[in-house]
Amino acid sequence: MSTLTSVERDTTIFDLINKEQHRQESGIELIASENFTSPQVMEAAGSVLTNKYAEGLPGKRYYGGCEVVDEIEQIAIDRLKSLFGATWANVQPHSGAQANTAVFLACLNPGDKIMGFNLAHGGHLSHGSPVNISGKYFQPVFYGVEAETGLIDWDKVEKQALQEKPKLLICGASAYSRDWDYARLRNIADQVGALLLADISHPAGLIAKGLLNDPFDHCHIVTTTTHKTLRGPRGGVIMMRNDFENPFGITTAKGKVRMMSSLLDSGVFPGTQGGPLEHIIAAKAIAFGEALTDGYANYATQVAKNAQAMATAFIDKGYKIISGGTDNHLMLIDLRTKNGVDYGLTGRLAENTLIKADITINKNMVPFDDKSPMVTSGIRVGTAAITTRGMVESDMARIVDLIDMVLMNHDQEAKIASAKTEINTWMKQFPLYV
Ligand SMILES: *Cc1c(COP(=O)(O)O)cnc(C)c1O
């Protein structure tokens, strides 16, 4: 008999997992980077594949017994390639930040200059934050949005790139609600001899379904997380539509110039990771398979429609959305004024008040914020998770009504409690896993 049969069930942890499931099911989830995966994605993530070591790539492993995981990982790669029209992909990065770090290792030397979107304007910390390896080991410079419009001015980006001459130009963000001009960015990158990386972690699912500009023809390398709009397990991937000989003159032992794909594979393993998480790779394969269906195309379309409806509802109430609206699944709301009136709201106050009504959002810096990152003047909301639950445009106005009611009554505990009761009852109409 296996020693596992006598293992006692860990009720401490499973009680907490049940509690977390209840939390997810009873509230309104508006965190733009979150979503709900399908039961089969979670089943694969919790499977026996977690037992397997598989350092290396399908067919080229450092361990025996990899025949089955080779098939699984190859299916994940093939499905991902067809989802985005890529010709090369690595599905092993443990997270989005890991995917970016692997790209940096493959493309840069320590101290090289990178140019990314300003963190304080909605960028991601893995694009050069001083507290992240990207900002400690490389030399970051940032472009941002215009104070007036909340939009990126591509002429300014070009001017700055010509001055700074970065080795790597990075586009993509965590809190930018507008689309990206990848053709223009490539033109800028080419002028300064930079490689262009698109990190599509947030809008990946919308890009896959043709709802936003396609970065693949213009950007040398594309990274994304798999757990945001893509609705897979927590993880990252790296892709290219067109492989190319690395421009750094790095050759193989036989003197042949190494392809970029080979440097990127090495950047993941052994560069920044050890054994891949084959259980997560299986879950990724399932999620990519789901994303290839018409059902997911309808989902992605609805995510965008819901974001439009939500933005309209906020604007109708007098809230200020940075850039005036959204092209994707998220928006950034500046709470400093509503209809021109200062109600003393901050991102922190909004987050802490809304959670009492079981509405989950995150506080977020707005561009040119005068408050600290722990306080902030704004909130970020997104429609990926609530759309998975089956909500449609008409539900967005009701959500915004509830948010507005709670924010305008942030010191009225009874009103907040009644909003919570209404929300818990309402959410029963959108069953998730029960
Ligand atoms: C979420 C995000 C990441 C990081 O993903 P993790 O899986 O949390 O490491 C990277 N880049 C961007 C733009 C993101 O929004």
Side-chain angles (χ1 to χ4, degrees), residues 33 94-98 100 124 126-127 172-174 199 201-202 225 227-228 234-235 380:
S33 50
H94 301 332
S95 74
Q98 289 286 99
N100 288 337
H124 192 262
S126 64
H127 300 177
S174 302
D199 177 349
S201 286
H202 263 271
T225 58
H227 49 276
K228 297 179 183 174
R234 201 154 278 287
R380 184 186 66 160

